[in-house]
Amino acid sequence: GMSEMLTANFSRNEFACQCGCSYAEVDTRLVQGLQLLRDKLGRKIHIISGCRCPSHNRAEGGATYSQHLLGTAADIAVAGIPIREVCKAAMTIPAFKGFGLDEQRCMLHLDVREDPAKWVYLGGKAVGGWPEGLA
């Protein structure tokens, strides 16, 4: 069921599509990576957006071929830790290959795509580029 625990700290319903369609086929590598990140940071990770069905992804303005559609991405926030610090910690976890940094909304997109990618968001839109001093 939806309350099924996937790791010590993450349940399936945390990743469920927010339109209520109950799509929650989240990738194991993503959840295991997030558990490692939680262990490293010692703080609860808030899943802002996990799995998305196509219609919810469109409503959110997500990319046409968004990793969220595949259950391979999550947008996260961690209370009390600057989002750049969260990102630095995430970058040490091999499972994570896609990093989208949103400093305005204090949010980080993480995914387990094949080919590494990094970008930033401005005004909620992915614009490319990467901050100086963030490896």
Side-chain angles (χ1 to χ4, degrees), residues 17-20 49 52-64 66 68-69 105 124-125:
C17 183
Q18 289 166 348
C19 81
S49 180
R52 295 179 193 158
C53 70
S55 66
H56 183 62
N57 187 62
R58 279 193 298 276
E60 287 283 298
T64 308
S66 171
H68 291 275
L69 295 166
R105 294 185 293 184
K125 295 278 178 236

Side-chain angles (χ1 to χ4, degrees), residues 12-135:
R12 186 171 297 283
N13 59 9
E14 290 180 79
F15 296 92
C17 183
Q18 289 166 348
C19 81
C21 71
S22 82
Y23 170 52
E25 294 305 310
V26 61
D27 192 291
T28 307
R29 297 166 301 168
L30 180 70
V31 189
Q32 289 174 343
L34 288 167
Q35 183 65 51
L36 289 172
L37 182 59
R38 189 196 191 283
D39 295 344
K40 195 178 277 274
L41 296 173
R43 292 279 179 96
K44 180 180 183 350
I45 292 174
H46 176 58
I47 308 293
I48 297 164
S49 180
C51 299
R52 295 179 193 158
C53 70
S55 66
H56 183 62
N57 187 62
R58 279 193 298 276
E60 287 283 298
T64 308
Y65 300 104
S66 171
Q67 297 283 317
H68 291 275
L69 295 166
L70 306 172
T72 49
D75 298 338
I76 66 163
V78 183
I81 302 182
I83 202 66
R84 281 195 185 200
E85 295 306 311
V86 175
C87 188
K88 278 182 191 164
M91 286 163 63
T92 68
I93 296 169
F96 298 135
K97 297 283 199 288
F99 301 89
L101 184 67
D102 190 333
E103 295 193 270
Q104 292 171 328
R105 294 185 293 184
C106 293
M107 191 182 92
L108 178 66
H109 166 105
L110 291 172
D111 69 54
V112 294
R113 71 182 63 204
E114 299 278 309
D115 299 313
K118 290 178 188 160
W119 65 94
V120 298
Y121 294 94
L122 283 177
K125 295 278 178 236
V127 294
W130 194 249
E132 287 288 320
L134 197 56

